[in-house]
Amino acid sequence: MGGTPFGKALGGSGRERARRGQGQLEAQVLAALHHAPGPATAAWVQERLGDDLAYTTVMTILSRLHAKGAVTRERAGRAYAWTPAADEAGLAALRMRRVLDSEPDRDAVLTSFVSALSAHDEEVLRSLLARAEDDDGAPDPAPGTGRADASDEARGG
């Protein structure tokens, strides 16, 4: 169960690792879980992250990730075994949805996001929206608009 701890692989000196932010810790915990051969305990994750991280800190991060829907857990004796809920792309999408959900003017955020897309990203998004429309028969209306054409409005059309 040895190997390079993820904390040491991702972070410089011990002093720099001691100042990791919550987002960096979450990323390191998720990276460890993605490299696990199956569901992993907090003790397993702590071992992979290095000696400078307390077990209680790992448990706190895992609990926060669970509350965000980024990991799942199942009983393993008296402890829990943790598993990532999605791959890296799915976790990034989850973060994007949380940011969008936290903003009071969702339409303005989407408008700003879409207007800043590269031509390639816009084409990918158009293709995905068309595929979703074909699958569902019609796209879901944007929250608060009651209309199915909010993406056209966000692009200025």
Side-chain angles (χ1 to χ4, degrees), residues 106-107 110-111 129 133 138-157:
R106 188 180 188 102
D107 290 351
L110 285 170
T111 299
L129 289 170
E133 186 174 326
D140 293 332
T145 65
R147 298 191 340 229
D149 62 349
S151 60
D152 290 336
E153 181 179 304
R155 285 191 295 274

Side-chain angles (χ1 to χ4, degrees), residues 6-8 15-25 28 49 52-53:
F6 288 94
K8 291 180 183 171
R15 170 177 256 164
E16 289 169 351
R17 283 193 315 273
R19 291 184 283 177
R20 289 180 288 214
Q22 179 180 328
Q24 185 180 6
L25 281 173
Q28 289 176 347
L49 294 178
D52 67 327
L53 200 57

Side-chain angles (χ1 to χ4, degrees), residues 17-63:
R17 283 193 315 273
R19 291 184 283 177
R20 289 180 288 214
Q22 179 180 328
Q24 185 180 6
L25 281 173
E26 288 181 357
Q28 289 176 347
V29 167
L30 285 169
L33 289 174
H34 278 287
H35 287 89
T41 64
W44 187 93
V45 172
Q46 179 194 22
E47 182 180 322
R48 296 314 177 283
L49 294 178
D51 299 330
D52 67 327
L53 200 57
Y55 176 84
T56 54
T57 302
V58 174
M59 280 301 302
T60 298
I61 296 299
L62 285 166
S63 296

